[in-house]
Every structure is written in C-alpha cells, then in structure tokens.
C-alpha cells in the first residue's frame, strides 16, 4: 500500500564528504511493508530551486524501530538540502514505489550483489532480505578510490564483501567486472545497481554465462507513480517502459543490452 | 457546506475539481492516495487513434517553479483503451473524461466515434495543443481555421460533451476559443503547456530529447490566469481553467477569473492528494466568505 | 582570460552583458553597487516621444519565481532625456543604448531621429512589444506587417545600430524576427515579458491596476531560451537573449542557444551586482572549458 | 553610500505574537551612515514562495555595536521566514535606501512622532536622532489593543509617550487622532508612519493647524532603488513619484491629501 507519510529525522550521519545516511522514523508506527529495490520520493522543503520530489532507494528498513534509512549522494541542490536537515525535522515521503528485486526461486541460491558508487544503496536491504530467506550473499562493490568505499561493516553483516577501486587503493584494482571473484565463483543470480556503463558490463558477463541478472535503473522522474510517463527506458522490443512503475528493477533479458 | 456542483455543457460535475490529462495516468495510479470518487471528474491520459511510443528519453527537466516535458503522447491507442483500460475504470464514481489527440482530422473523428461507444465516458477533452509532437494537434490549435476544422469534425462524430483544450502559444487565445465555440464546442479548457526549453550548460546539451518541451507548474499560473480571464470574457460557453494550480487559493483565483471548473496537473506529482485537498479548501473558502455555492464566485473578480 | 568581446551589427561590445530596459533605470541608480564601465552595455528605461505618466498603482505583483509589472512606460519623453539625463550618463565608459517605445509609426520615427542626435547613444532597442499600454507598440509586435512598418520607418530615421525587441506573446516569434530582419534591423532582442495576471483571492481583486501585466524573472527562462533557439536558427542577424537570467550559468545557456549577447533584467532587483557577477562567471566558464572567446560557444548547443 | 552587505543575526526576539525584533550586525564594521526614515531591502533565503527582497524600515542603529535593528510584523511568507532565522545566520541587505525624515530647521522644535501598528518601526530611531539634535520629542502610538502595544520602554528613552488603543485597554480609547494631546499641545512638526487612513487623518489635523508634517509611505517595491518605477504614488500635481527613491518620506504638501 503506497502512502504519503511525514517521517521524522532520527539521525543524519555524514558517511563521506559526498554521502549522508539519513534515518527517518514513522512516528505513528505506520511504516508500510517495503521490498528491497523499492524506492521513495522525498519532498525537499525550503529549497527555492527544487520543485519536484527526489527519488531515493530504500537503503535499509528496521520495522521494529519503524526506521527507514536512505543513503544519499550529494550531487545537486535537492540532495544538498537534505544534508541540512536536523534531527526532529519532518520529511514528506511517498513510499514504497516501484517493484523490488525478485527473490530467487531456487533454495539457497548463490547471489552476487554488485554495486557502484551510490548504487550500493539498495543492496544492503537486499542482502538482508536474501540472507533472511536462506540465500548465500556476496557483495561486489566498486568505488573510484578508498574515499568512496562506504559502510563495509554493514554489508559484512549479510554476506562476503569484495571490493574494487579504480586506483587500487582498496580491494582489487579496476572496475567491478575486473574482480577475480567473477572467474572463481559460479553464481545463480546477480543483482546490480550503479552507473549504466557498469550495469551494462555486468549484464554482458551475465548474458555470456547465462546467469539470471536484475538491474536497477535510474531515470529522471516526475511522479514516481507510473502516471506521467516521463521516466521511460526502451526495452528490447522497442517499447518505452516506465522505470518508476514497471521498474526500477528489470531483468536484463527485457533490456536491449544484449549487444 | 457550500454547494460545489458545477455544469459544463450537459455535464453536471459533483465538484469543479478535475485532473489534468497526462498528469494523472488513468486515475488508478492515485487510488492508494485518494478516494477517486471525491473528484469532480478525471481526465485521463492523452489518447490517439493508433498506439504511439512517444518521444525518446530524456523527457523531463525541472525548471524554476515548474517542469518541462516532452512525453509526446505515448499511449496504446483508443482500441486498447476501450478493451483493456476502460473496463477497470468505468465504475469509479466520478466523471470520466478522455483527452483525445491526433495528427489528422480523420483520426480525431474516428477516435471520437469510438470514444462515443464507451457509455461511462461522459466527455471528450480535445487536445489540439500538444507542443511535443510534430503532429500532436498543435498545428490545428494555432489557427482559427485549424480549430474550426478539427472541432467541427469531432462535433459531428461525437454527441456528448465536447471540451476543446487550447494552447497558450498563440497571439490570441481568445480567437481560438471563439473559433472552438463557433464550431460547436461545449466548453474550452486552458491552458495546455507553454513551449519551453532547458539546457545543461556544463555538457552543452539540451535537457530534453526533443530540445523543446511543454512548461507546466506554478511558473505558468500568471499566464494561465490571464488566458482564462481573457477567454471567459469573450465566450459564452463555460471555461475550464488550469495551469500551475497547487492549492485551493490558486483554484479560487481561476474561478474569480471566470473558470467554471479547474484541472490539477503537475501538482499531483508534488502531492498526490492535492485534488481532494483543493476540494476541501474550496469548501472552506466558500464557507468562510459566506457563499452558498461555487457558482457565486465564478467570474466575480472586482475590477 | 577569454575574450569577451562580441558584435551586434556595427557595434562592438566589450563583453556580452547588457542591462534590460526598465530594470536598470538610467544606470546611475546602480552606480553605488557596481562599476558601470564593466558592463558590455546598458539599455536605459523605455523612452517615448512625449512624456508619459504610466499606469496607476499597484504596478507590481510577485509570482512563483518571478514578478508581474504594469509600469506602462512612465518616462519624461525623449527631449527631457536628451536635455537632462543624457548629459549625466553619456560619459560612462560602456555602450549606451536607448530603448524606444511609441504609439504611432510617426512617433517612433520622430523620437528615433532625436536619439540619433545624441552622439554617445550607440544603438536603439526598439520596443514593439510592451504588453502594458494599449498603444505600447505591442500591436506592432504581433503581426509581421506591423513589425515591418515600424522597423522600416525607424530604420529610415536612424542609421546607427537598430535592435528590435520582440514579444513572446505570439504564435510565431520567428516570423516576427524575420520581418524585423527584412525591414532592416541589425539585431533582434528577445524576450520581452509574457502577458500574465495575478489575483488576490481573499479580496477578490486583481493585484495589478491594469489587471494584466508583464511576467519576468526565472519563471520565464524556459520560454525565453526556446524563443532564442528558434529565432537564432531562422535569422542571420545577431540575437540578443534575455528572460530570467539570474547568474552566469543562465547566461551560458542563452549563448549556447544562439544569443550573441544577453540582457539582465529582474535579477538586478534581487542582487544589484548581478551584471558584473555574470561577466566574471562567463569568464570563469570559458576558462574552465578552455574556450578562448565567447564567440566559440554561441549557438554551440549539441543537439 | 548604498551597499549590499551580508549582516549576521545577533538576536531575534519575539515582541508580540505577530512581531519580531531582528538585530543584525555588520561583521566587518562597515555599517554605512543611515538616516532615520530610511529603509533596507532584506533578501529572504530558503523560501520558495518569496522571490523579491522585502523592504523594512530602519528601527534603530547602534554604530558602536555596528548593529541594525528591524521591527518586523509577521504578515506573509517573507516576514514569517525572517522569524525563523537563527543567531549567526547571514542576511543579505541593501542599505540605506530612500530619503529619511528631514530634521527640523528650528532649534528645539516640539516634535510629535505618530505611529500606528508596525508603523512605529522608524520612529524609535527618529526619536533618537531628534533628541540628539536638541529637539523635544513626543510619541503618539496607536494600537488595536493592549497586545499590540510594543516597546514602550524603548520609546520613553527619547521622549514622552502617549498611547491609544481602539478598545481602550491601554492609553486613551480610540484612534491616535482622538488623543487629547493633540488639543492640549501645540507642535512645530509632526512625523507619521502607519496605515494610510491613519496618516491621512493626522495629515488633516496638520493641514488644519498648518503644522509641518511628514509621512512615510508604503508601497509594493521591486528594486528599492528608483530604477523600476513599480512603487509610485501620485503627488498633488498628478505626477507619479517613486516611493522608494523620492520617498518613502513625503511632506504632506506634496501629496493629494488636502481634501
Ligand atoms: C529509482 C531511483 C533511485 C535512486 N536512489 C538513489 C539513492 O539511493 N541515493 C542517491 O543518492 N541517489 C539516488 N537516486 C538519484 C537521485 O534521485 C538524484 O541524485 C537526485 O534526484 C538529484 O537531485 P539533486 O537536486 O541533488 O540534483 P539535481 O540538481 O537535480 O541534479 C544534479 C545532477 O544529477 C543528475 N540527476 C538528477 N536526477 C537524476 C536522476 N534521477 N537520475 C540520474 N541523474 C540525475 C542531474 O542531471 C545533474 O547532473 C535514485 C534515482 C532513481 C531514479
Ligand atoms: C519603505 C517600507 C518600509 C517598511 N517597513 C516595514 C517595517 O519596518 N516593518 C514591517 O514589518 N514591515 C515593513 N514594511 C512592509 C513590509 O515590506 C511587508 O510587510 C513585507 O514585504 C511583507 O512580506 P511578506 O512576504 O511577509 O508578505 P506577503 O506575502 O508579500 O504579503 C502579505 C500581505 O502584506 C501585503 N504587503 C506586502 N508587501 C507590502 C508592502 N510593501 N506594502 C504594503 N503591504 C504589503 C500584501 O498585499 C499581503 O496582503 C515596509 C514597507 C515599505 C515599502
Ligand atoms: C507530463 C505531462 C504530460 C502531459 N500530457 C498531456 C496530454 O497527454 N494531453 C493534454 O492535453 N495535456 C497534457 N499535459 C498538459 C497538462 O494537462 C496541463 O495542461 C499542463 O500541465 C498545465 O497544467 P499544470 O500546470 O497544472 O500541470 C501534460 C502535462 C505534463 C506535465
Ligand atoms: C519593471 C519592469 C519594467 C520594464 N520596462 C521595460 C521597458 O520600458 N521597455 C522594454 O523594452 N522592456 C521593459 N521590461 C522588460 C525587460 O526589459 C525584460 O524584457 C523582461 O523583464 C525579461 O527579462 P528578465 O526576466 O531578465 O527581467 C520591463 C521589465 C520590468 C520587470
Ligand atoms: S516518473 Fe512519472 S511515470 Fe515514472
Ligand atoms: S521599487 Fe523600483 S522604483 Fe521604487
């Protein structure tokens, strides 16, 4: 059930120079059921240059505490304004939006969760859900350099963690697709979120190895509800599909990425 | 509780708050946020005779107090609407209005006829003003001859309420309204989006795939109010006002300028509950000012 | 330091940043905030042949990301300008341009001749697009015949640089630009204000004495950019772009869309130092992107 | 010399439910010379519905402390946003704007300063300046009711204070023009700021008694600099005069208020 809720800022933590972890709680205990891979639309107040809501992935949910965590990269006026919120401030949020990552049908599936940049955001909650469902979780996260590597301890709670940095300062050097784990291990399913070139590269690997692979796409959104058709992506049949309501998670077999 | 009932041609709306086409999907997208039966009516997504894929991505750019879109009438065509969508929405207890676009007079008329076969559709809003596709009807909407031609053709093919949606991208929107009225329209709605453009200075590229797109949101409200004011003085048929309405106060401004009903578009993206909040707010305003009915304020600007 | 010099007709501007008429007084109002000699040029208040008192109060209303005005060309006439104002501003080391309005072709031509006698005035910006007075030239600015008529007459009476300022309140601003070009304009500037309106819902009264007024500020930027883009593709003469420019990034967008120079209007009210900050910001942008001259980015939008 | 300065909020005090006293300091010690009756244009940040600056009278200036005080009535989005400023926040201000009240030419002039509502704002600094110049100062301030009476102790520093309230709860009952002091005393000059009907009523008294009288007008302003001609008022010759640059203070003999 989609809702518009006024959540309260419980905590705002600077993770890197460019990233914040925003913890919001539902004061009335009405946090809806959320699937990993779903997102929320955040209203940004007091920002004259920000008109539309901002789509942000669900990073983590703690139902006991009625808490929703968002991992936000500070890229423009909207996200930078979010970083000025204070504990106790109210934030209007539409949630949950979009379709989450599908859970593997095979029991105890070996799952690889690949993230790049702030694309790691939805993978923590996905790791939690997969682990809780009895699957095996490996995270493969890529960053530019050591400064971009975030929240390692959090991810380790739910699975093994493999890292790459472009400058080799942490983990293996190169892009995620260069990581040796891709050769060493055979995965049943891959879940990816990050920059499009990275997702396409991972998809290429998955196509080649014939591994079930889901990617979470980004796009400019106005409504987040499937109503305005602003956020489309072209599928492999040449049809325009809504990223917000038909995605943001797509099976790579639906996308025109094969070649 | 003041009386909110209002009339557009033969149509009685339970209240004057409609949804603007293209911003409210088929209504169902909003059913988890609001009780759709509280709407005066809902105008669904722009429909064409044949399916259209619309324009490439990116289709949206944010602008000061507004947004640009170049969706380009993506829809599955009127037959799909009739067979697959209409059955799911026809029993919503509100007034269902289909927004119709086309590229040729014949297409418009043929689609209108098919819409006429859907019992629960109570009106057509004829979009002759889409700035986002070469043949989106904007060509029709910018000359009086064009308006007369397409409105007459649809009028012949469709005998329920016909609302003609006008573009503000013209020298005289009043002339277009008069032409629509002369050609048999029961009402005119205005404004459609203003044609605009946005650029990414750093990458030196347009922000929209089509370079230009349609501007909507609070930034266009002053232009929309002016258009409603001008047209309402000139025509005898009721005027439906829209453009940048975010709250009940904005809506009241349109009634005072001469609108018989209003539509809410872009605001649905900021707050999906805007429509019902506006209904409540209009009620509150009328009560506070001791008006018994919405009709008492229509066109009542003191100049 | 990139080269900021740019040309409009026979005129060389030290940089492409001008002030928009009606928003910068006679320049002197801003002399305590900025060094006026850093401006590419300053276009002064709209001037008419005979003195005008302008419209009654209230003349201004704030709108989402912008404002409406209905000043209505208040000025003391071209003779007063020549005798009492010109002597005080003629030695400012920048390019002085007079914005000229009128009600009849004869008035325009007569005033243009008088302006021609002021040595240091280097150009006329011909305002045929003021939406705020019945005879403010808007009638001329909305038909190609009107444009040709008044531009030809002024062209005959004035042999220095002639910039024609166009209204966005038309179906095709490109047609107006082509007409101005054909009639001998050296350049076109656009856009003048969009016609809009604002209402006080509580008091049920218009917020402007004239009911309608001209909309300016960031809200109109998408429309202005679109107009500049369309016109710059159609004409051969240089285009001066304006409408909602608040900072250097906005200015760059206009250059990319095809403007040879830009004007800053409403932004002067928010920050009286905007003009010089924009000059600095353009410089910074060109340097950062390794352009040697402003001319390298004019019209260079990658579509 | 007009300036654009970033002043720092030193203090923000709630005076009544609807009024704040905002104290701003020039951190670089560059507060310009300001005359009583001049005003400033305040930029309101973080308020999506506020585009233009807001004109506010100079309530008081303390040069030693480089402090500028503004007395602000909370009437709309802009002024209400000002009320949310915190100590230390920066506020962009254009100042000083307009022409102040002229000082009496006669030595030791008996001056009556009449204010209504938030129109009392410029009178405190005016009282200070007049007293410093050796004139005799009487304040006659009107309010709706006791709740609207403000800052009495401040005004008393510079002269005698007479009050009226419409409900008679404080001072004499009625409007300022009903106050007995107007019959009891003979003033040399009158200075007025408040709602237009009040200013016109006082002007009528001054016309009748042939007393020099100055009023401070309000009007919607865009530039505050005399550049845009948005803020005009009609004078007694039928000419439109700029309230911002030719006023806000006008001699009543320039205004078409005689009948
Ligand atoms: C389904 C979805 C989930 C997302 N999840 C997260 C998340 O968990 N954490 C996070 O930090 N960000 C996430 N994003 C991206 C986030 O929405 C944008 O970074 C944000 O909207 C930018 O707002 P802004 O005002 O700060 O920047 P703006 O000023 O709007 O833009 C700054 C820059 O970012 C680009 N940009 C803006 N919006 C988008 C977008 N939607 N997609 C791609 N580029 C954009 C602009 O082109 C510009 O270059 C997600 C986006 C989507 C669609
Ligand atoms: C020279 C001058 C000096 C002023 N000095 C003070 C002062 O010392 N203290 C103070 O509290 N206020 C003063 N004002 C009035 C103040 O500028 C307005 O109250 C303020 O701009 C309102 O802004 P807002 O965003 O809160 O309200 P808005 O939302 O802009 O308006 C709220 C209501 O106030 C009315 N209003 C807005 N601006 C003005 C205006 N300029 N004149 C008259 N009515 C207006 C509107 O019509 C509306 O009814 C002064 C105005 C001028 C011109
Ligand atoms: C994303 C989007 C899609 C739209 N699609 C249509 C459409 O299909 N048919 C139509 O007549 N108007 C369409 N419009 C225009 C709106 O119905 C409305 O006229 C315009 O947005 C102004 O109103 P607003 O400011 O309240 O949004 C669309 C607007 C937006 C923002
Ligand atoms: C208060 C005001 C007065 C104006 N007066 C004139 C004028 O006399 N002549 C003219 O050609 N344009 C006039 N304009 C229009 C501006 O020059 C400019 O075209 C318009 O404001 C758009 O630019 P902006 O958004 O940067 O302000 C005026 C605009 C404003 C806001
Ligand atoms: S953002 Fe509106 S349909 Fe996806
Ligand atoms: S406010 Fe611009 S001239 Fe007074």
């Amino acid at each position: 059930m989609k809702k518009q809720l006024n959540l309260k800022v419980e905590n705002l933590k600077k993770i890197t120079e460019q990233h914040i972890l925003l913890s919001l709680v539902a004061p009335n205990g009405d946090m809806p059921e959320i699937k990993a891979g779903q997102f929320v639309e955040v209203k940004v107040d007091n920002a004259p240059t920000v008109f539309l809501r901002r789509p942000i992935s669900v990073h983590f949910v703690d139902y006991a505490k009625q808490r929703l965590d968002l991992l936000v990269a500070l890229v423009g006026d909207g996200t930078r304004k979010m970083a000025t919120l204070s504990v106790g401030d109210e934030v209007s949020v539409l949630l949950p939006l979009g379709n989450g990552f599908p859970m593997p049908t095979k029991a105890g599936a070996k799952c690889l969760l690949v993230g790049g940049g702030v694309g790691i955001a939805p993978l923590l909650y996905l790791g939690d859900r997969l682990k809780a469902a009895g699957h095996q979780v490996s995270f493969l996260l890529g960053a530019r350099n050591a400064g971009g590597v975030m929240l390692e301890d959090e991810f380790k709670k739910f699975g093994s963690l493999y890292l790459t940095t472009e400058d080799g300062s942490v983990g293996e050097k190169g892009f995620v697709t260069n990581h040796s784990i891709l050769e060493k291990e055979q995965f049943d399913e891959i879940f990816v979120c990050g920059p499009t070139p990275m997702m396409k590269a991972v998809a290429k690997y998955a196509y080649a190895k014939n591994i079930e692979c889901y990617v979470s796409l980004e796009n400019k959104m106005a409504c987040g509800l499937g109503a305005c058709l602003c956020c489309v992506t072209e599928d492999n049949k040449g049809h325009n599909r809504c990223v917000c309501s038909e995605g943001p998670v797509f099976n790579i077999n639906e996308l025109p990425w094969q070649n | 509780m003041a009386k909110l009932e209002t009339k557009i041609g033969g149509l009685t709306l339970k209240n004057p708050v409609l949804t603007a086409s293209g911003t409210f999907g088929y209504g169902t997208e909003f059913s988890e946020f609001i009780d759709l039966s509280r709407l005066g009516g809902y105008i669904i997504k722009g429909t064409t005779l044949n399916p259209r894929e619309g324009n490439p991505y990116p289709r949206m750019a944010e602008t000061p107090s507004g947004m640009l879109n170049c969706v380009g009438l993506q829809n599955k065509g009127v037959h799909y609407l009739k067979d697959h969508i209409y059955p799911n929405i026809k029993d919503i207890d509100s007034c269902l209005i289909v927004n119709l676009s086309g590229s040729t007079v014949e297409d418009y008329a043929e689609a209108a006829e098919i819409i006429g076969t859907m019992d629960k559709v109570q009106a057509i809003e004829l979009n002759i003003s889409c700035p986002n596709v070469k043949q989106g009807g904007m060509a029709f909407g910018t000359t009086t001859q064009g308006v007369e031609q397409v409105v007459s053709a649809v009028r012949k093919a469709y005998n329920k309420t016909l609302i003609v949606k006008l573009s503000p991208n013209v020298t005289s929107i009043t002339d277009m309204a008069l032409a629509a009225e002369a050609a048999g329209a029961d009402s005119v709605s205005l404004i459609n989006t203003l044609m605009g453009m946005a650029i990414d200075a750093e990458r030196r590229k347009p922000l929209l795939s089509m370079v230009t797109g349609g501007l909507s949101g609070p930034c266009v409200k002053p232009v929309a109010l002016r258009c409603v004011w001008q047209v309402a003085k000139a025509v005898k048929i009721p005027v439906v006002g829209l453009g940048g309405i975010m709250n009940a106060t904005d809506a009241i401004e349109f009634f005072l300028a001469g609108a018989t009903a209003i539509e809410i578009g872009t605001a649905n993206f900021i707050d999906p509950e805007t429509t019902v909040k506006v209904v409540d707010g209009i009620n509150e305003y009328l009560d506070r000012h001791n008006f018994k009915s919405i009709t008492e304020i229509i066109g009542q600007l003191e100049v």
Side-chain angles (χ1 to χ4, degrees), chain A, chain B:
Chain A
M1 175 79 181
K2 288 179 197 132
K3 293 184 179 180
Q4 176 168 212
L5 291 181
N6 285 328
L7 303 181
K8 271 220 157 72
V9 177
E10 194 198 63
N11 197 21
L12 189 150
K13 208 164 107 187
K14 207 169 179 177
I15 302 289
T16 76
E17 274 306 304
Q18 309 275 21
H19 298 85
I20 57 162
L21 186 68
L22 183 61
S23 297
L24 304 169
V25 289
N28 305 323
D30 49 0
M31 185 72 73
E33 183 111 9
I34 303 175
K35 294 196 197 113
Q38 289 189 303
F39 67 98
V40 307
E41 282 269 13
V42 179
K43 188 153 168 289
V44 181
D45 290 328
N46 303 318
T49 58
V50 180
F51 176 63
L52 296 163
R53 286 173 182 263
R54 296 296 189 254
I56 303 289
S57 301
V58 170
H59 176 57
F60 200 75
V61 193
D62 183 331
Y63 290 101
K65 299 190 172 136
Q66 288 288 300
R67 201 189 72 222
L68 167 72
D69 287 343
L70 306 177
L71 178 64
V72 183
L74 313 184
V75 299
D77 287 355
T79 50
R80 277 196 287 263
K81 193 74 191 184
M82 288 183 210
T84 69
L85 284 164
S86 304
V87 170
D89 284 352
E90 285 204 344
V91 180
S92 167
V93 165
L94 304 182
L95 81 176
L97 306 180
N99 305 299
F101 291 101
M103 288 289 124
T105 44
K106 177 179 160 182
K110 286 189 72 173
C111 302
L112 181 67
L113 283 57
V114 187
V118 77
I120 66 170
L123 302 184
L124 187 70
Y125 187 44
L126 177 61
D128 171 44
R129 298 289 83 201
L130 287 169
K131 188 178 173 204
H135 302 291
Q136 293 176 49
V137 176
S138 300
F139 297 101
L140 170 52
L141 310 181
R144 289 249 171 82
N145 50 43
V149 176
M150 291 177 271
L151 303 165
E152 294 162 76
D153 293 341
E154 296 302 311
F155 284 102
K156 282 182 184 157
K157 287 184 193 162
F158 306 115
S160 356
L161 177 61
Y162 305 96
L163 297 173
T164 60
T165 50
E166 290 175 33
D167 65 358
S169 51
V170 174
E172 295 188 12
K173 183 175 166 130
F175 298 109
V176 285
T177 41
N178 302 129
H179 199 283
S180 57
I181 188 73
L182 293 177
E183 294 312 313
K184 280 188 229 152
E185 297 236 20
Q186 176 67 33
F187 295 98
D188 297 315
E189 308 221 355
I190 303 182
F191 305 88
V192 202
C193 185
T196 307
M198 189 206 87
M199 293 200 284
K200 285 189 173 169
V202 177
K204 205 171 158 189
Y205 168 88
Y207 283 128
K209 296 236 171 187
N210 211 1
I211 304 173
E212 195 82 353
C213 177
Y214 296 91
V215 294
S216 177
L217 301 185
E218 272 200 22
N219 209 325
K220 293 235 169 142
M221 294 183 177
C223 72
L225 304 171
C228 72
L229 305 186
C230 284
C231 66
V232 295
T233 194
E234 199 180 287
D235 72 11
N236 63 352
K237 299 200 178 98
H239 292 314
N240 283 322
R241 306 274 295 277
C242 266
V243 171
C244 73
S245 60
E246 301 182 68
V249 174
F250 290 91
N251 189 306
I252 56 168
N253 292 325
E254 299 174 78
L255 299 174
W257 287 5
Q258 189 88 51
N259 26 28
Chain B
M1 283 284 281
K3 216 178 117 203
L4 292 189
E5 215 175 83
T6 190
K7 280 199 166 135
I8 301 179
L11 207 65
T12 301
L13 304 174
K14 67 174 102 171
N15 69 57
V17 179
L18 310 171
T19 62
S21 177
T23 68
F24 205 69
Y26 295 108
T28 44
E29 292 85 347
F30 287 79
S31 61
E32 287 168 89
F33 295 101
I34 59 166
D35 174 358
L36 295 170
S37 75
R38 293 207 54 213
L39 297 173
Y42 59 111
I43 305 183
I44 61 172
K45 199 169 279 191
T47 299
T48 50
L49 180 62
N50 298 309
R52 299 181 80 125
E53 281 299 336
N55 292 321
Y57 168 79
R59 293 178 170 183
M60 193 274 286
E62 197 176 43
T63 65
S65 297
M67 61 174 279
L68 289 162
N69 87 83
C70 64
V71 169
L73 297 177
Q74 176 178 341
N75 80 100
K76 295 189 167 152
V78 72
H79 293 285
Y80 187 93
L81 173 72
K82 183 174 179 184
D83 299 341
H84 299 285
I85 298 166
Y86 174 65
N88 304 323
I89 59 175
K90 71 182 175 48
D91 295 325
I92 295 170
D93 177 24
S94 176
C95 171
L96 172 56
I97 299 173
V98 175
N99 178 277
L100 171 62
S101 268
S103 325
T104 67
V105 172
E106 295 71 29
D107 280 8
Y108 269 111
E110 190 179 336
E113 218 165 307
I114 296 161
I115 294 168
T117 64
M118 290 181 251
D119 271 5
K120 296 280 180 80
V121 174
Q122 305 197 35
I124 283 179
E125 181 180 57
L126 196 65
N127 179 8
I128 54 171
S129 47
C130 179
N132 292 326
V133 291
K134 281 216 183 66
Q135 262 119 23
M138 172 103 149
F140 291 113
T142 56
T143 64
T144 51
Q145 301 92 307
V147 172
E148 264 165 38
Q149 210 186 346
V150 61
V151 175
S152 304
V154 171
R155 178 72 295 174
K156 273 196 208 101
Y158 186 77
N159 57 21
K160 284 188 266 182
T161 302
L162 178 59
I163 305 165
V164 176
K165 187 164 178 180
L166 301 176
S167 168
N169 302 298
V170 293
T171 307
S172 168
I173 194 165
T174 304
D175 288 350
M176 304 306 142
L178 289 167
E181 182 176 41
D186 298 306
S187 169
V188 284
S189 60
L190 48 138
I191 59 172
N192 208 317
T193 53
L194 269 173
M195 201 174 161
M197 173 173 173
I199 290 174
D200 182 336
E202 286 303 311
R203 298 189 308 126
R204 288 186 287 284
K205 288 197 174 139
L207 283 167
L208 297 175
S209 65
M210 306 301 285
V211 184
T212 61
L215 187 64
S216 63
C219 56
V220 308
K221 195 186 73 170
V223 175
L225 270 178
R226 182 264 297 176
C227 291
V228 167
W229 165 249
Q230 290 178 319
V231 168
K233 282 191 300 176
V235 299
K236 291 190 192 65
I237 52 179
V239 174
V240 180
L242 74 153
I245 298 176
M246 301 300 282
N247 52 46
T249 306
D250 293 337
I252 300 291
E253 292 169 19
F254 278 84
F255 295 125
L256 294 170
T260 296
I262 55 105
E263 298 180 16
I264 289 172
T266 304
N268 292 306
F269 307 157
I270 314 298
D271 178 355
E273 298 163 21
T274 306
T275 44
V276 297
K277 287 178 181 166
V278 169
V279 175
D280 292 339
I282 293 171
N283 232 318
E284 185 273 325
Y285 177 94
L286 294 174
D287 284 352
R288 187 157 48 81
H289 289 268
N290 287 312
F291 292 111
K292 300 273 160 295
S293 151
I294 181 75
T295 53
E296 289 176 34
I297 67 166
I298 295 171
Q300 294 308 304
L301 188 73
E302 295 166 23
V303 291

